[in-house]
Amino acid sequence: MCGIIGYRGDKDSKRIVIEGLKSLEYRGYDSWGIATVLNDRVAVFKKVGKIGGFSADQLKMEAGRIAIGHTRWATHGNVTEANAHPHVSCDGKIAVVHNGIIENYQELKAELKDHKFVSQTDTEIIPHLIEGYVREGYGFVEATKRALSRLEGRFAVVAVMAGYDGLIGARRGSPLVLGLGGGEREYFIASDIPAFLNHTRNVVFLEDNELVVLNKDYRIMNIKTGEDIKREPQHIDWDAAQAEKGDYPHFMIKEVLEQRDTVSRAIKQSDGEIMEVAKMLNDSFGSFFVACGTAGKVALAGTYLFSRIANKHVNFSVSSEFPNYTHFLTDKTLMIVVSQSGETADTLEAMDAARAKGVKIVGVVNVMGSTITRQADRFLLVKAGPEKCVASTKATTGQLAIVTLLAYACAGRLEEGRELLEDASAKINAILTEEYVANIRALAEKIKGWESMYIIGRGLNYPMALEAAIKVQEVSYIHAEGFAGGELKHGPIALISNGTPCIVLVANDETKPDILSNAVEVKARGGFIIGVAPKNNEVFDFWIPVPDVGNASPIVNIIPVQILAYHLAVLRGCNPDMPRNLAKSVTVK
Ligand code: F6R
């Protein structure tokens, strides 16, 4: 949560920070702020609300070579200008932006009796702590190092000081990446690469407990020991256009339509790599799929895919509950974590708990260089490109493709898995026409006034029913719930009244007769049945055709629901890219 950017160089620092914040806004968007560094002071501007169309030209503040910015997802303190970042020291000379949570801020605040605090945030403690050490005579770098080593909790921090020709960044638990600019001694530092992708693709990822000083050169050191750390830059092959909306009204629909090729990209994994992970799985015992939210639904689908394709039992836990299962872990356990961002705090904590028991970890992750890619024993990259909409779509189907391929690899049928997924990819490409999308939009028009809807599926498509509900809830704010088809009659069917929309996810497998019977039961109570199925059926009031792709049915069945959720959001006047109360990259527990 929260997006951070800092810039040092000869270009227009205000503009770079404002543009960077716009591309980071998916991480939090309740307020934002910028600080520019001058010789004698730090100038600060903050505003409540989304940065939206605000342009650097509207900023009437003086700027030099250095600026920092922040877009906030509130944790401590309401959404107010005072609580927006950057936060400054008493003398107004030190400014800090922060992502994470400082757990011991109250104790630290109690120590700093002679400092004046103006916000309710945990962050504000940081510039004051640094100021305290500067008052004691330490230079800015040493003062910041000392201040940061007092913090408990998670943080990514960027700090600046009036008259100091540099930026200091540091991280523990929250992401921070350094961009090496083209110009001489030009640096970017941000929570995520898209913030500076227009300027450079040469990056250095900071590790936990590292601090970087960006001035004439970049110098990375350990926060606690001060020991220097050498790290070579990496080149990222993301295309800047992938992180732009282009002609699309929203990132969500752009990313949904990019699924024309995300499955075929995801399965471009080398046979050797896939087979090594498959061997780890086959050698493991009592293994777990672990993830949160949408990625959690992919992980749950993984248990069905492994059971069905590889005849292998794998457990599932949402990340935040995983620590409750640690009694079952042994050094034979393998943990497969699924994550778009690779930075989700609950998943990282689950990994810590697993590692403590000697468990090996495999990540299925979209963001290269993210914490999960660095902490897992192995990882498979989803290769969906930057996903900017808060609601995950293309990364989800990419993850599903990898998990499906892995199940085939474990069964010793890797080629068959590849062929199935290539075929699914080609068929997805073929159905995603303007007409297809318009048909689903017409459905959205019909049902947009409903405040509740239900989604059912069985087998491989039960996790997709849960995922479909998340998509509808988070972007359209319609109360949507997903169920296993068989569960409806055990309670939820009482909620069906005349016209209640019920989406039925159908696969052409052994679950088909039963899920269609469940649809008939709902229809008998007045439900409006929307069938997502390879073939039409008389029970459907509205049919959304999907290709018949065997075990890849979860991938093709979720896509039309993503499109429906998108249009429901737009028709109900919601911004699908930035749903209320949410943020991408959930880096708090
Ligand atoms: C919903 C959504 C979230 C994420 C969840 C985990 O559309 O995107 O439910 O799936 O927050 O995030 P990652 O995948 O980054 O670990």
Side-chain angles (χ1 to χ4, degrees):
M1 336 288 261
C2 300
I4 290 179
I5 177 158
Y7 175 76
R8 175 194 190 270
D10 294 330
K11 295 191 190 126
D12 181 347
S13 60
K14 271 193 312 193
R15 190 170 306 277
I16 285 179
V17 165
I18 293 289
E19 292 311 315
L21 284 182
K22 284 183 186 172
S23 77
L24 284 173
E25 220 177 1
Y26 64 93
R27 301 179 66 90
Y29 33 82
D30 54 44
S31 56
W32 61 276
I34 171 170
T36 57
V37 180
L38 307 168
N39 273 337
D40 55 337
R41 69 194 164 90
V42 171
V44 176
F45 177 86
K46 305 184 194 188
K47 214 165 160 44
V48 165
K50 297 187 173 89
I51 193 162
F54 195 93
S55 95
D57 299 329
Q58 290 169 265
L59 265 183
K60 302 290 171 236
M61 65 199 292
E62 232 184 298
R65 292 163 48 73
I66 294 174
I68 57 174
H70 185 272
T71 176
R72 181 172 186 243
W73 187 87
T75 56
H76 294 63
N78 311 337
V79 178
T80 62
E81 229 162 72
N83 289 334
H85 302 210
H87 290 284
V88 295
S89 53
C90 296
D91 63 6
K93 292 193 170 181
I94 296 165
V96 169
V97 287
H98 162 230
N99 168 26
I101 288 182
I102 308 301
E103 285 161 7
N104 60 338
Y105 79 102
Q106 282 166 333
E107 294 104 89
L108 293 169
K109 201 167 178 175
E111 271 181 34
L112 295 167
K113 289 199 179 56
D114 54 337
H115 288 251
K116 186 165 181 287
F117 290 86
V118 296
S119 81
Q120 302 159 302
T121 65
D122 51 340
T123 303
E124 199 184 1
I125 194 74
I126 306 172
H128 290 279
L129 264 182
I130 300 174
E131 180 178 44
Y133 288 113
V134 170
R135 281 184 197 165
E136 284 179 29
Y138 294 102
F140 181 43
V141 175
E142 183 59 27
T144 306
K145 193 152 75 63
R146 282 177 184 256
L148 296 180
S149 58
R150 307 268 327 266
L151 306 182
E152 284 166 21
R154 310 171 83 86
F155 58 80
V157 162
V158 180
V160 290
M161 188 168 85
Y164 183 82
D165 183 25
L167 293 154
I168 300 179
R171 69 160 278 176
R172 185 199 298 148
S174 299
L176 204 56
V177 57
L178 167 61
L180 308 182
E184 204 183 335
R185 292 164 190 168
E186 181 187 41
Y187 297 108
F188 303 81
I189 187 161
S191 309
D192 207 350
I193 298 166
F196 51 69
L197 200 53
N198 276 327
H199 303 278
T200 181
R201 285 191 270 169
N202 294 327
V203 306
V204 179
F205 293 99
L206 280 199
E207 300 284 352
D208 277 350
N209 296 312
E210 288 181 355
L211 177 149
V212 64
V213 182
L214 303 169
N215 45 30
K216 294 186 192 69
D217 223 327
Y218 73 91
R219 185 180 157 211
I220 303 175
M221 64 184 93
N222 182 288
I223 294 175
K224 288 223 155 84
T225 63
E227 197 183 311
D228 276 319
I229 295 159
K230 282 270 156 280
R231 183 153 319 125
E232 290 305 312
Q234 299 179 30
H235 187 77
I236 296 294
D237 62 1
W238 280 2
D239 176 358
Q242 285 182 309
E244 304 288 341
K245 247 190 317 215
D247 293 335
Y248 291 94
H250 299 102
F251 278 108
M252 184 171 180
I253 192 69
K254 174 180 185 256
E255 289 164 5
V256 164
L257 296 176
E258 280 173 0
Q259 291 173 113
R260 290 177 177 127
D261 72 351
T262 42
V263 168
S264 65
R265 286 158 63 128
I267 60 172
K268 281 198 181 67
Q269 311 283 338
S270 81
D271 284 3
E273 218 157 327
I274 282 280
M275 289 314 296
E276 271 186 54
V277 176
K279 181 170 180 335
M280 285 169 89
L281 264 154
N282 281 338
D283 291 347
S284 72
F285 179 77
S287 293
F288 271 90
F289 270 110
V290 178
C292 311
T294 289
K297 306 305 174 273
V298 174
L300 180 60
T303 65
Y304 284 83
L305 287 159
F306 269 75
S307 152
R308 189 179 173 84
I309 299 166
N311 205 12
K312 184 164 176 69
H313 173 74
V314 186
N315 301 290
F316 163 73
S317 171
V318 292
S319 307
S320 55
E321 287 299 315
F322 180 75
N324 300 312
Y325 289 109
T326 49
H327 336 48
F328 300 131
L329 305 179
T330 70
D331 57 6
K332 288 212 75 81
T333 310
L334 183 73
M335 179 189 207
I336 306 152
V337 293
V338 183
S339 175
Q340 189 288 128
S341 62
E343 299 292 351
T344 306
D346 288 336
T347 305
L348 292 173
E349 288 233 343
M351 287 168 65
D352 289 345
R355 247 193 317 266
K357 290 275 191 155
V359 169
K360 288 262 181 297
I361 302 170
V362 171
V364 177
V365 185
N366 192 39
V367 179
M368 175 64 189
S370 58
T371 306
I372 294 180
T373 64
R374 294 197 311 275
Q375 292 189 354
D377 295 282
R378 296 196 80 90
F379 66 90
L380 296 169
L381 263 195
V382 174
K383 303 180 185 170
E387 191 179 68
K388 301 291 284 292
C389 174
V390 165
S392 183
T393 53
K394 62 176 182 173
T396 311
T397 46
Q399 291 160 351
L400 279 167
I402 291 186
V403 172
T404 309
L405 192 65
L406 261 182
Y408 275 98
C410 283
R413 291 152 56 199
L414 179 59
E415 258 332 288
E416 184 187 334
R418 273 196 200 288
E419 276 165 27
L420 172 86
L421 290 159
E422 283 296 358
D423 177 57
S425 179
K427 288 178 172 156
I428 291 167
N429 193 355
I431 59 162
L432 283 180
T433 60
E434 268 180 40
E435 197 190 346
Y436 191 75
V437 174
N439 186 39
I440 297 174
R441 188 188 154 93
L443 170 66
E445 279 281 5
K446 227 184 196 26
I447 62 172
K448 67 180 183 208
W450 281 87
E451 285 311 321
S452 286
M453 73 170 67
Y454 302 94
I455 303 110
I456 56 172
R458 277 178 177 255
L460 289 177
N461 281 282
Y462 162 53
M464 291 305 102
L466 302 179
E467 165 52 13
I470 296 188
K471 280 293 93 62
V472 173
Q473 290 159 6
E474 67 181 334
V475 299
S476 74
Y477 312 149
I478 292 174
H479 166 239
E481 278 193 73
F483 295 102
E487 277 295 287
L488 277 192
K489 59 185 177 293
H490 297 291
I493 204 161
L495 297 167
I496 305 293
S497 62
N498 215 12
T500 308
C502 178
I503 302 175
V504 183
L505 303 180
V506 183
N508 193 19
D509 61 18
E510 70 288 350
T511 62
K512 183 174 158 187
D514 286 340
I515 195 73
L516 288 174
S517 298
N518 298 140
V520 171
E521 290 154 14
V522 176
K523 192 166 172 121
R525 271 94 192 157
F528 177 76
I529 307 296
I530 301 155
V532 175
K535 268 199 175 159
N536 203 352
N537 188 282
E538 62 184 17
V539 69
F540 300 156
D541 294 298
F542 192 101
W543 174 46
I544 305 179
V546 285
D548 184 358
V549 289
N551 286 333
S553 71
I555 301 177
V556 299
N557 281 0
I558 196 62
I559 294 175
V561 188
Q562 296 168 347
I563 300 172
L564 179 65
Y566 170 75
H567 283 299
L568 284 170
V570 173
L571 291 168
R572 288 165 64 94
C574 312
N575 177 350
D577 285 348
M578 294 181 193
R580 70 183 175 209
N581 307 337
L582 289 174
K584 206 155 183 83
S585 264
V586 187
T587 53
V588 293
K589 262 170 78 177

